[in-house]
Every structure is written in structure tokens, then in C-alpha cells.
Amino acid sequence: MVEIEIQDLSVSYGEHRALRNISLSIPANQIFGIIGPANSGKTTLLKCINRTIDFVDTAKVEGRVSLGGQDVRKVSSVYELRRRIGMVFPLPVGLPMSIYDNVAYGPRMAGMRHRGQLDALVERCLRQAALWDEVKDRLDMLGTKLSGGQQQRLTLARALSLEPDVLCLDEFSIAIDPVTTMKIEEVLLELGKEMTIVLVTNLVQQARRLAQQTAFLNNSELVEVGDTKQMFTKPEHELTYDYVTGNIG
């Protein structure tokens, strides 16, 4: 089963072409890595998947992105689309409310009101984000008072609270320490068994550790996509070899 299908996707910001004719398939229930140098179009690709590209006035999008066979640009509700496709950005984005309310906010907006259900959901999501043991005795504390690594895990818990089908991660570990990064990676390996995770990372070895399949973008174009192990041991293109071995970056 293919969860996400991308066909001939091109994106321009004014005169700048951010993506050129990208076509690839992202299977369901696995971690799919996207690697490449800075400004190669990785984040733009994520934004097209959950349509946060809509917030960029200068963006011109051509081609098709479909989720479960449905064109994401033709869905009846973009809000429902973004519920199904969660997003975690490079830097934590904490809401100015308690740890508990950070996680419960989305479900409440979706209609969940029963305190027992909310309590169970908050605990489950915080456990999934490897944060519960650190905050369970201070759930009424402002989420913005947490450390950077804890805030990033809180952002992950909030993204999980709406039970998305797809989780998009954009450089989630860029501002957190290696120990916290490894904690989140362990969580992602478990989550990847039950949901589709699209992982954009500048850390090449992170993609190697986590992703079953990986796409390599360079200069706004798709160079290679396929089995991660093969890409790192016997890639099809010399440019891919140079990137994964650190000869270019």
C-alpha cells in the first residue's frame, strides 16, 4: 500500500525554483528519510505534503501530492488534512499554556471533553514522546518553561495527540542534545511500526539508523530514492556516494 504519492511536483518561490519535477512513493507504516544539502528543497517537499506551503504567498505549486489516493489539494477540509498529517518543525513551538493543555488542546478543539479521556490521551502521548517520566508531577507548569529538548518532545506529543496517519519531521534534532536525540529516535522506531513517518534530516547517519527507504535531493532535484541500506553501501549515482560519505555537503 502506498500512503503518499508525489508526481511531477515542482515548486517556485518567485524566480527561485525550489523543487523540479519530483516523483516518488512513500509506503505506509515505515520511516521514509529525505536527505540532501541545505536549500535542496527538503522542507518545501514536507510543506507540500501537509499543505503548509499554502501559507507562502509567493509559492507556485505544480504537480500532484496524494494521500491514500486523494489529491491533497482537492480535499474538502485542509484542517482535516493537517490533522491526518502532523508536523514537527526544527525548533520547538510551545503554546503559552500548561504541559497538559499543550497536548490536550488539539483534541479539545476536535470535540473531546471528558476529563478521563483527556487524561489518558495526555499520558499516552507524553509516554510516546519519552517525556512522561520527566513531567508527570508538574503537568500544570508552563510548557515554555521546559528545556529545549523537553519542549521538542512536547511538540512531538502534541503532534501525536490527534492520532495522525502521517508524521512529518523537519530536522527535529537540530536544537537538542545527542542523548535526547537518541531517546526520540527510539520512540520513532516504535511509532514507525504503526504510522508513516517522513523524516527530513541533515544528519546522514540519522537517516541510515532510522529510515527503511531514503530519497536524496540535490539542487532542487531528486537524485536517487530507494532502500536505505543500498543507498549507503552501493548507491546508483556517484553524487549520492559523495554526499553520504561526506565528500560533499
Side-chain angles (χ1 to χ4, degrees):
M1 174 184 175
V2 173
E3 184 74 36
I4 300 170
E5 186 79 35
I6 299 170
Q7 299 171 304
D8 299 320
L9 180 66
S10 294
V11 180
S12 298
Y13 301 120
E15 297 298 317
H16 172 66
R17 180 62 65 93
L19 290 174
R20 293 182 178 88
N21 302 319
I22 305 295
S23 294
L24 56 85
S25 299
I26 300 177
N29 299 337
Q30 66 170 246
I31 301 176
F32 186 92
I34 302 175
I35 60 174
N39 301 314
S40 57
K42 304 185 300 296
T43 296
T44 295
L45 183 55
L46 279 193
K47 289 179 177 179
C48 290
I49 292 173
N50 84 332
R51 283 187 54 184
T52 48
I53 194 73
D54 294 3
F55 299 127
V56 184
D57 292 337
T58 60
K60 178 183 178 182
V61 180
E62 300 174 293
R64 175 185 168 100
V65 178
S66 59
L67 174 66
Q70 183 177 23
D71 189 334
V72 300
R73 301 198 66 80
K74 296 180 180 179
V75 296
S76 58
S77 170
V78 70
Y79 304 106
E80 172 63 15
L81 176 73
R82 292 183 187 135
R83 185 206 65 76
R84 295 182 63 195
I85 306 176
M87 177 78 84
V88 176
F89 296 98
L91 298 175
V93 182
L95 301 177
M97 54 183 64
S98 71
I99 295 169
Y100 183 100
D101 288 337
N102 259 271
V103 183
Y105 179 79
R108 279 195 183 116
M109 294 297 290
M112 185 181 290
R113 294 288 184 268
H114 190 274
R115 180 70 187 208
Q117 287 181 308
L118 286 168
D119 287 350
L121 179 141
V122 168
E123 179 176 347
R124 174 174 59 80
C125 293
L126 288 172
R127 285 189 182 278
Q128 286 180 314
L131 188 57
W132 173 254
D133 289 339
E134 298 171 35
V135 302
K136 61 184 178 183
D137 297 324
R138 46 181 178 148
L139 294 177
D140 58 348
M141 188 182 85
L142 274 175
T144 50
K145 296 289 187 181
L146 294 172
S147 70
Q150 289 173 324
Q151 286 191 54
Q152 189 67 313
R153 282 179 283 162
L154 181 60
T155 300
L156 176 59
R158 193 168 68 242
L160 293 171
S161 70
L162 290 173
E163 301 181 331
D165 300 317
V166 179
L167 183 63
C168 294
L169 303 173
D170 188 8
E171 305 285 2
F172 76 88
S173 59
I174 195 170
I176 57 179
D177 62 272
V179 173
T180 301
T181 295
M182 294 306 293
K183 284 183 180 180
I184 298 178
E185 287 187 6
E186 290 174 5
V187 170
L188 295 179
L189 287 171
E190 288 302 311
L191 291 174
K193 298 174 183 178
E194 56 191 56
M195 70 172 60
T196 303
I197 298 176
V198 186
L199 171 70
V200 162
T201 179
N202 278 337
L203 304 176
V204 173
Q205 293 305 316
Q206 186 174 75
R208 187 173 190 174
R209 288 191 299 269
L210 298 180
Q212 285 79 49
Q213 294 190 48
T214 298
F216 170 48
L217 302 183
N218 186 69
N219 195 28
S220 307
E221 297 180 343
L222 177 65
V223 178
E224 184 169 344
V225 60
D227 178 78
T228 299
K229 183 176 180 180
Q230 178 173 334
M231 184 173 291
F232 279 84
T233 56
K234 195 176 180 181
E236 296 180 2
H237 297 272
E238 184 176 354
L239 187 61
T240 308
Y241 175 83
D242 287 340
Y243 183 75
V244 300
T245 57
N247 293 329
I248 62 172

